Each structure stands twice: as C-alpha cells, then as structure tokens.
Amino acid sequence: MTTSAEPAALDGAGFGARLAAAQARFGPACVGIDPHRSLVESWGLDYSYSGVERFALTCVEAFGGRVASVKPQSAFFEVFGARGVALLERVTAELRAAGTLVVLDVKRGDIGTTMTAYGEAFLGKDAPEPADAITVSPYLGYESLRPALDLARDTGRGVFVLALTSNPEGAGVQHAVTPGGTVAGDIVAAATRDNADAAARGEWGHIGFVMGATIGSALDDLGLRGALAASNAPILAPGFGAQGGTVESLRTVFGESISRVIPTTSRDVLKAGPSVDGLVAAVERTRESVAGLR
C-alpha cells in the first residue's frame, strides 16, 4: 500500500482550506469509528483484535470517499496494543487514500518536550501515518499546546481544541471565571489569534474547537456567541444523532457560526452494520439530513 504520510492533498493548502473543500464536495458530516465492545458485539463479532479489525475495515470501506471526514477514536484501538495501533494506522492510510480526511480523536495534552513528541507522533512529516487533524486538551494551559499548534500549521494539518464539551463535569472547568472572562472564552480568543493569518487569506483556520452538539445555551451564558463567530475556526460538534443533537438544535446552539460546524455522529451510523450496504445507506441519510446546514 502506498503511504499517505504526504499525499497529493497536502499541496501547500492549509488544513482549514482542505476541510472546507472536502465539505463542499461531501457535505459537513463527520462519522466516527468507535469499535467499543457493545458496538462490535452488536455486529455479531467477537470483541477481540480480529473482531475489531473486521469492524474497522468494514467502516473504512463504507465511509472512505463518501464523507468529508472520519473520526476514529484512538482509545478503542490502543486497547489491543501494538496490533491495535497498527490497525489504526491502516485505517488512517486507507481513508486518506480514498479522499476522506481523518480527524484522529486522541485528546492529547501535556507540556514541553512531551507535547512536542505527541505532535510529531500524530502530525509530523516523519510520523508513521499522520492524521489530517487531532483533538487536544488545553487544560494545562492553551500555550502548553504550542508545539502541536505550530507543527499543524507548518505541515498543513489541524488541531481541534476541547473548548465546550457536553459532559456534566466539563462546565466546572470550562465555565470557570478568569481575569479575561472564562476558561472557554480564553481558549476561543487564543485560537482566534492563531487563525488570523488564515482569516486574512479568506480561509478557515488550522485550529478548530470541539464543542458538543448538546451544550444548549452555553455560548449565550458565557457571552461567547460573537467571539465564536469571529474565530474563523471549524467546530467539531460530537453528539449529533443518538446523543440528542439535531439539525434544529445545531442551528440554535451555534447560530451564525453554523457554516463552520461539523456535526459528528457515531452510533446512529454504526448501528447500521455489519453490512457495508447498511452503513452506506446510513451515511447517505446522515449526509442528506445535514446538507441544509450550509
């Protein structure tokens, strides 16, 4: 198989521009590959490396070249050690070869040389199978992510920073008051500065946010609606579908930023397996349902 470490798609365009182009072609939906035990077993497969391999590669066959982006959850592959990581690299390579961007859900966050190593592992030009973008956690401070943020910019890749998540525990940190406003507001402001060069070119930035599709009135409560609109950041919105997010709720939650929202679904599509045809049909239904967001 030809490596996808430096595919033709990385022709000097920034991640934001590549993402916008993919969404113009396929629509905004992002589909997750989450081979956790209950889903794998619901397909009639053993929860083992071989079962997860069949699950993941069936998803690749169904999703590759049909959606703009796919979000594999790294943890469900890491469970199986080196073989699982190798499988994740294969999933990444095959999706990218099919023209689908890979947003690897790893949520890494650390300081100094450790954060540098995380960035090189997933985004670097010498990484075994780099993704198009990764998720990161800023709760050691936004600037602790600087090695990955700058590496993503320099390699034409992206980073999605956890900003407003829908888990109940998240508000205790993300809504906390700071000298500049709130923790979430400080993250939005910092990313806006990092995206300024792309904004000047008329492109989306390489730094996006993870904001849950079911965060309700959080943007209004924190006074962030205008700041988000000005951020030039793509917004990965997990929770669409089975977790309660709808097209109508996305419009309500994100308002004038809706054109940059990437509704992310996993269970609603994955439950349609194990047949490729069933998964493809579920993908098409999802694509149709969110087409109007643009």
Side-chain angles (χ1 to χ4, degrees):
M1 180 187 302
T2 301
T3 181
S4 63
E6 293 296 334
L10 288 179
D11 57 1
F15 171 72
R18 295 194 296 118
L19 176 62
Q23 295 195 174
R25 179 181 181 189
F26 295 114
C30 175
V31 181
I33 299 181
D34 296 352
H36 58 74
R37 181 185 293 271
S38 63
L39 274 171
V40 172
E41 291 179 344
S42 75
W43 282 22
L45 300 171
D46 291 333
Y47 185 67
S48 61
Y49 171 77
S50 61
V52 167
E53 180 184 43
R54 182 174 173 187
F55 182 101
L57 296 181
T58 300
C59 289
V60 169
E61 183 178 352
F63 305 158
R66 291 188 173 91
V67 290
S69 59
V70 168
K71 184 173 71 66
Q73 170 48 256
S74 180
F76 296 126
F77 294 85
E78 294 175 42
V79 166
F80 295 95
R83 290 190 303 168
V85 172
L87 175 60
L88 180 58
E89 290 176 356
R90 180 179 175 186
V91 165
T92 299
E94 294 191 7
L95 285 168
R96 297 186 71 223
T100 290
L101 301 181
V102 175
V103 178
L104 186 57
D105 198 354
V106 291
K107 297 186 179 74
R108 298 300 197 262
D110 214 308
I111 59 173
T113 55
T114 308
M115 194 65 228
T116 299
Y118 279 139
E120 292 289 351
F122 299 112
L123 302 171
K125 62 183 179 62
D126 296 322
E129 202 57 65
D132 293 284
I134 62 172
T135 58
V136 293
S137 174
Y139 298 112
L140 290 177
Y142 178 87
E143 283 302 315
S144 70
L145 302 174
R146 181 54 56 191
L149 303 179
D150 290 349
L151 181 62
R153 177 200 62 210
D154 294 343
T155 57
R157 297 185 167 93
V159 172
F160 286 91
V161 183
L162 297 173
L164 280 172
T165 59
S166 54
N167 61 302
E169 304 86 356
V173 175
Q174 296 155 18
H175 294 205
V177 175
T178 70
T182 62
V183 170
D186 290 351
I187 291 168
V188 170
T192 301
R193 292 191 292 272
D194 278 326
N195 284 338
D197 287 347
R201 297 191 301 269
E203 301 173 358
W204 292 355
H206 73 287
I207 298 176
F209 304 123
V210 179
M211 293 187 171
T214 56
I215 59 172
S217 62
L219 289 172
D220 289 320
D221 297 342
L222 302 179
L224 292 180
R225 192 171 290 279
L228 182 62
S231 69
N232 199 41
I235 304 162
L236 193 66
F240 182 78
Q243 292 173 269
T246 65
V247 169
E248 292 74 20
S249 68
L250 288 174
R251 290 188 184 281
T252 299
V253 168
F254 294 108
E256 61 186 303
S257 299
I258 192 65
S259 65
R260 289 181 280 108
V261 170
I262 308 163
T264 306
T265 183
S266 295
R267 277 177 285 173
D268 259 15
V269 172
L270 296 175
K271 69 184 182 182
S275 78
V276 170
D277 288 346
L279 291 169
V280 169
V283 165
E284 292 304 319
R285 288 193 297 272
T286 299
R287 286 180 56 180
E288 290 173 8
S289 72
V290 300
L293 291 178
R294 292 295 176 271

